[in-house]
Amino acid sequence: MQKKGSPYGTHRVISPKGVLPQPADVVDNNMDEIYDNEVLIDVKTLNIDSASFTEIERRAEGDIEKIKETMLGIVAKAGKHKNPWTGSGGMLIGTVEKIGDNYVGDLKVGDKIATLVSLSLTPLRIDEILEVRPEIDQVDIKGKAILFQSGIYAKLPDDMPEGLALSALDVAGAPAQTAKLVKPGMKVMVIGGGGKSGLLCLYEAKKRAGVTGQVICAAGSQKSEDRARKLDLADDYFHMDATDAVGMYNKVMELTGGELCDIVINCVNIENTEMASILCTKDEGLVYFFSMATSFTKAALGAEGVGKDVDMIVGNGYTKGHAAITLQCLREHEGLRNLFAEMYA
């Protein structure tokens, strides 16, 4: 008889006791037996979140073997892939291998799924790392993972390759939140607009802001700017180091005729971009921090320090319907789909 599990997975927490799996330091990744409300997944690919992979790669000095060593070390110590420096994870794709007797849901053995909960809370066992693809933050492995009863997932669609769906679903929260926040006529800027989540956010922002709105792509490099420009996803484009808050502010003042933005969406994977986001937002506007490199302290105290009355949203990776909205972006925009297929599939 299978042991009874908590819907939130607290039965897997080893230390500290009493916390949920995400903030836990160590979780139980023993896959020999599953609890009555768990799903066992045969894992094919890990999509490490951008901030996390960037940091691992930096510390490994780009050496693939050191990247593997670091990842195996993280999982061996924590029972999950929670980056000790960024605190973030990513997500995975795999095949449903076994379902607990009391699991409630529409999954069946053999279903191919993408988990839409973070690897930072997912019990994971890596038996072997088969391939590391640093340019797209993806790692093919032999291994197993556990999805809890409360864990959200998407069945992989039939009309696109797995790698393509995975790359988009990894950042599904960002375009879906953008779709919810942006209203007709708004001025919207996406910082990191040439990256994966940024491109999807630009597409949704342009769709929602309409012809009376203004969408600005702030890219980190000429290459990123050109990528977004080629797809015609915004009204204005520029590239600049987003840690240069004053430079960003001056540029956005110029582009908006001194009005600044109603919404700034931050999708970058580096630190110290909080102030650029805040300064470029008009009073009573909104900043949406999707980046896992965001410091709550820097954002809150920084806004206070410059006398900015702005609302700030932390990028919850989940919003209702986010998987459907994000995959639909790729179906609607052929250029976006082709780019993602070329880069990530």
Side-chain angles (χ1 to χ4, degrees):
M1 192 170 153
Q2 291 173 329
K3 288 185 279 190
K4 189 172 171 52
S6 148
Y8 298 111
T10 50
H11 55 276
R12 287 266 179 184
V13 173
I14 293 174
S15 75
K17 284 292 181 197
V19 304
L20 286 157
Q22 202 287 328
D25 299 325
V26 185
V27 299
D28 171 15
N29 66 348
N30 178 2
M31 310 285 173
D32 297 336
E33 287 181 36
I34 67 168
Y35 286 73
D36 69 341
N37 62 349
E38 293 180 336
V39 175
L40 178 66
I41 301 165
D42 183 27
V43 182
K44 181 181 177 185
T45 304
L46 304 176
N47 202 106
I48 305 300
D49 89 86
S50 182
S52 172
F53 197 91
T54 301
E55 184 60 23
I56 290 170
E57 193 176 21
R58 186 184 73 78
R59 286 172 181 268
E61 296 173 332
D63 184 309
I64 295 292
E65 291 310 311
K66 282 186 185 168
I67 290 172
K68 288 182 182 179
E69 210 177 286
T70 303
M71 290 182 64
L72 288 166
I74 290 169
V75 174
K77 190 174 177 185
K80 56 182 182 171
H81 199 283
K82 181 180 180 181
N83 184 311
W85 305 290
T86 63
S88 55
M91 37 93 81
L92 62 85
I93 57 172
T95 305
V96 174
E97 186 176 306
K98 195 173 178 185
I99 297 171
D101 297 338
N102 294 322
Y103 176 80
V104 180
D106 65 350
L107 284 177
K108 54 187 189 301
V109 171
D111 280 346
K112 288 183 176 176
I113 63 168
T115 60
L116 300 177
V117 286
S118 176
L119 291 176
S120 67
L121 62 83
T122 302
L124 175 69
R125 191 185 82 212
I126 300 179
D127 299 323
E128 189 185 348
I129 294 180
L130 302 172
E131 188 186 354
V132 179
R133 295 190 289 282
E135 65 287 353
I136 56 172
D137 309 337
Q138 286 181 8
V139 182
D140 291 340
I141 70 160
K142 281 183 181 171
K144 309 285 182 198
I146 293 289
L147 183 70
F148 299 128
Q149 178 66 70
S150 59
I152 51 175
Y153 60 86
K155 290 187 184 180
L156 291 172
D158 299 330
D159 62 343
M160 59 183 76
E162 287 175 8
L164 176 62
L166 175 63
S167 64
L169 289 169
D170 178 43
V171 293
Q177 291 278 13
T178 302
K180 202 158 78 171
L181 295 169
V182 177
K183 302 287 182 277
M186 281 186 166
K187 294 187 189 310
V188 183
M189 177 164 71
V190 179
I191 303 180
K196 187 163 64 166
S197 55
L199 292 166
L200 290 165
C201 288
L202 284 173
Y203 173 71
E204 278 298 335
K206 190 96 173 78
K207 191 161 102 176
R208 311 288 166 164
V211 291
T212 57
Q214 181 184 12
V215 175
I216 301 168
C217 168
S221 66
Q222 184 68 57
K223 189 180 171 188
S224 291
E225 181 189 328
D226 292 345
R227 192 185 294 147
R229 193 185 282 275
K230 193 177 166 192
L231 295 174
D232 192 26
L233 294 175
D235 300 300
D236 297 284
Y237 306 82
F238 70 95
H239 65 275
M240 189 180 288
D241 178 354
T243 63
D244 177 4
V246 175
M248 290 280 285
Y249 168 77
N250 289 335
K251 183 68 182 172
V252 173
M253 281 290 279
E254 177 198 319
L255 289 173
T256 60
E259 286 186 36
L260 298 177
C261 297
D262 297 287
I263 298 179
V264 171
I265 298 161
N266 184 325
C267 295
V268 294
N269 59 8
I270 56 167
E271 293 182 344
N272 298 318
T273 62
E274 294 84 359
M275 287 315 298
S277 311
I278 289 161
L279 284 181
C280 293
T281 308
K282 60 175 69 165
D283 268 342
E284 297 180 8
L286 182 128
V287 185
Y288 174 48
F289 288 110
F290 187 68
S291 166
M292 286 293 145
T294 304
S295 158
F296 169 79
T297 314
K298 287 175 188 169
L301 299 181
E304 179 188 289
V306 293
K308 272 279 189 176
D309 178 9
V310 295
D311 290 329
M312 293 185 275
I313 297 180
V314 173
N316 178 352
Y318 174 59
T319 186
K320 281 190 180 68
H322 68 332
I325 288 171
T326 301
L327 293 174
Q328 192 58 27
C329 291
L330 297 185
R331 293 186 182 107
E332 287 175 5
H333 195 292
E334 193 185 348
L336 205 49
R337 180 181 168 133
N338 291 343
L339 177 74
F340 268 60
E342 188 187 310
M343 289 175 68
Y344 304 113

